[in-house]
Amino acid sequence: KNWPVEVIPNPIDVNQWKPVDKKTAREKFELPLGVPLILFGAIGGAADPRKGFELLQAALKLLPGSTVGLELAVFGQEAPQQAIDLGFPVHYLGHLSNEADMQMAYSAADLLVAPSIQEVFGQTASEAHACACPAVAFEGTGLADVIEHRKTGYLARLGDIEDLARGISWVLESSSKSTQLNDAARARAVEKFSYPVIASQYQNIYLKVFNSNRG
């Protein structure tokens, strides 16, 4: 317990993960233009209970009527044999196996919802941020290290579906008025998770250890 602890995030290549024109991105996946689009994804998609898809389902049903036209895109799984009825269209993007497709998916969305109840870091959120996509998640997980509350997205109280719905609604409303959230998300990714920033943090630790040993 008396050992020094340093926390360094996973780095991402912000030159690869960057925004793509939304119209171009949606056309790639044959997604509708001009509608609010939420993105959800995980390995195994909705099948992994740790990823919180059931909580997302419950939260989506609480959204106010102002989110008319809302649609959901899911990556990480193919369309299930038994369709999930959310009251609005759900698009299954399947397993996206390369960074270019993932970059397009983030760029197509108005926000990423990562309702995990267990998450070490949340690489999808940092990648989404780099693509100028705000994110909504629960606090109390590793995603809180990525998302800056009400600045690059929204952190709901852990397991609180009403607060999750409130966060989704807040981001959609904010994004419809300006690009401030999108710009802040991109800036945070560059400032916190880019290769030069992370490399510098490792370098500082090694130098500190090296110099302390010399002393």
Side-chain angles (χ1 to χ4, degrees), residues 96-153:
L96 304 182
S97 58
N98 61 75
E99 292 183 350
D101 284 346
M102 285 300 307
Q103 178 190 18
M104 285 286 193
Y106 294 131
S107 298
D110 291 298
L111 77 154
L112 170 77
V113 180
S116 301
I117 56 174
Q118 293 180 348
E119 195 72 69
V120 176
F121 176 63
Q123 190 83 358
T124 54
S126 61
E127 291 169 355
H129 271 24
C131 295
C133 180
V136 176
F138 288 122
E139 61 186 10
T141 73
L143 287 151
D145 290 334
V146 179
I147 302 165
E148 193 170 7
H149 184 54
R150 289 184 178 269
K151 292 186 178 180
T152 69

Side-chain angles (χ1 to χ4, degrees), residues 50-166:
R50 295 171 301 175
K51 298 301 181 181
F53 184 71
E54 290 186 356
L55 298 173
L56 173 59
Q57 275 186 274
L60 291 174
K61 294 178 181 178
L62 297 177
L63 291 179
S66 60
T67 51
V68 172
L70 180 68
E71 301 196 12
L72 176 70
V74 178
F75 67 88
Q77 74 170 59
E78 305 295 336
Q81 292 183 346
Q82 185 174 354
I84 299 174
D85 183 13
L86 295 177
F88 51 81
V90 179
H91 307 273
Y92 290 91
L93 308 184
H95 296 274
L96 304 182
S97 58
N98 61 75
E99 292 183 350
D101 284 346
M102 285 300 307
Q103 178 190 18
M104 285 286 193
Y106 294 131
S107 298
D110 291 298
L111 77 154
L112 170 77
V113 180
S116 301
I117 56 174
Q118 293 180 348
E119 195 72 69
V120 176
F121 176 63
Q123 190 83 358
T124 54
S126 61
E127 291 169 355
H129 271 24
C131 295
C133 180
V136 176
F138 288 122
E139 61 186 10
T141 73
L143 287 151
D145 290 334
V146 179
I147 302 165
E148 193 170 7
H149 184 54
R150 289 184 178 269
K151 292 186 178 180
T152 69
Y154 191 97
L155 290 169
R157 291 183 294 273
L158 186 61
D160 188 333
I161 60 172
E162 291 185 359
D163 200 22
L164 185 64
R166 190 177 301 116

